[in-house]
Structures are given as C-alpha cells and as structure tokens.
Amino acid sequence: CGHRIFLWDIANCSQLNVLTGHRNRIENTFFSPDSKQVVSCSDDGTVKIWDAATGKAVHTLTNHGSPVRSLAVSPDGKWLASGGTDRKIRLWNLESGSLAGQVDFAQTVFFCGFAPDSKTLIYGTHLDPKIRAVSVPGCEVLDRFPDIAIPKRPPGAISFILRGNTVLVRLRSSSAGPFELYSWNHSEPLFSSE
C-alpha cells in the first residue's frame, strides 16, 4: 500500500484509479491546482507527475537519486519543487518535467512551499534551525527569513495564508502537533498554539 496512490471520487466514495510505479514508500502527494495532475515523491529517489484522469505516469524525475522527502506545487500550476536526502532542492517545470534549477544545502531538505504569488520558494533543512528562501524560477537565494528559527525540531508541514496585503507562514511540526504563525516580513512568531 505504501508504494501506491489511490484516487477516490469523494462525492460517491468510489475509487477512480490506483497509481503504481514507485518502488519504495511514498513520502508526499499533491494535486496540481487544476486537479489534472498528481505529483508524488518517494524514498525510491524519484518524483512522478501523473495524469489524474488516466492514472498514468507522465514524467518520472530521477535526478535526486536518494529519498525525496519534500514536495510542493506552485499556486499558478507552473512549478514543482522537490527536496531530499541528497541535500538539494530542485525546481521543475510541471508541464514538461524539465529541470529549471537547483540549490545545494548542507542537510536533508525537510520541507518546502511556494508563496501565494508563486515567485518565492521557502524551505527548511533537517537539523538546521533557519528557514530559507529562493526566487522562482531563478533559484537565487533570498534574505526573506534571515532570523526565523524553527523551534524544537524541523516542521513537518508548511502552508501560506493570504489576507489582504499580509502573508502568514504556518509551520507545523506534525499533522496533529502545535503550529506557529509568522508574518512574511517578520522573524518573530505572531502566534503559537503551544
């Protein structure tokens, strides 16, 4: 079961497709914003882009070569980001599957996520308490979050909340764990659920 993705029609609780092709545990899955594609990453070292309607793999991205732990799709549907134990974060063109850029790090890439405008990718690395940011698609390192420290342990999930001219970044240590809210332009947390 850990090597397959099951797609369901939630309106009538019927199974639509089973996506098979990964050879090891699947770490993350996402739909593209238009729901026409599914993307997944796995401990087998690959990222796959699937056709949601047919269940067929359209692209298999093999550049990581070691477990891929983090994945994100940009809100505009153009970009896919992946990060893993090879200590790299890669930016891909979602439609073509071509590599658009990459950045090297000192540790495993533990999480990544796009800003609402799809022009910035933020990420964190295992055992590194800083949040980092790069431009999209140029992969130029930004000083957006120079001083935010991730408390206790790296987050398991990241999400963005857009309210007017304010962008909040929510970091959660696990699916059921506490979370913190950070303003896009400030290093101190605005709120902590702990």
Side-chain angles (χ1 to χ4, degrees):
C1 177
H3 305 178
R4 297 177 291 170
I5 301 166
F6 297 86
L7 298 184
W8 291 81
D9 182 334
I10 59 172
N12 58 24
C13 295
S14 62
Q15 185 174 297
L16 300 174
N17 269 314
V18 180
L19 313 184
T20 59
H22 282 298
R23 299 181 317 276
N24 207 328
R25 183 178 67 181
I26 295 168
E27 291 287 344
N28 269 304
T29 58
F30 288 97
F31 276 101
S32 61
D34 62 7
S35 299
K36 292 181 179 179
Q37 294 168 303
V38 175
V39 297
S40 59
C41 65
S42 167
D43 284 351
D44 67 8
T46 67
V47 175
K48 289 185 179 286
I49 303 173
W50 311 82
D51 184 308
T54 66
K56 303 297 183 186
V58 178
H59 301 290
T60 298
L61 315 175
T62 60
N63 296 55
H64 282 284
S66 63
V68 185
R69 297 294 168 84
S70 58
L71 197 64
V73 178
S74 64
D76 64 7
K78 294 180 179 179
W79 307 106
L80 169 65
S82 60
T85 59
D86 64 348
R87 302 177 180 183
K88 298 180 189 301
I89 192 160
R90 289 183 166 88
L91 183 68
W92 312 88
N93 181 294
L94 185 59
E95 183 178 353
S96 68
S98 61
L99 183 65
Q102 73 178 37
V103 182
D104 298 329
F105 302 115
Q107 301 290 340
T108 295
V109 179
F110 198 83
F111 72 92
C112 60
F114 287 91
D117 65 2
S118 300
K119 294 180 179 178
T120 304
L121 175 68
I122 74 166
Y123 55 89
T125 61
H126 188 55
L127 302 178
D128 182 345
K130 298 288 185 180
I131 296 175
R132 318 282 174 146
V134 294
S135 64
V136 176
C139 288
E140 297 174 7
V141 177
L142 306 174
D143 291 329
R144 177 75 69 173
F145 293 119
D147 298 314
I148 289 181
I150 301 170
K152 296 183 181 177
R153 59 186 179 276
I158 184 169
S159 59
F160 294 91
I161 305 165
L162 182 60
R163 293 289 182 267
N165 294 324
T166 302
V167 179
L168 300 178
V169 181
R170 183 178 74 167
L171 301 176
R172 183 181 287 274
S173 58
S174 67
S175 60
F179 66 91
E180 291 189 338
L181 290 177
Y182 291 87
S183 170
W184 185 245
N185 294 311
H186 297 87
S187 61
E188 294 298 318
L190 301 178
F191 174 81
S192 174
S193 66
E194 287 191 303

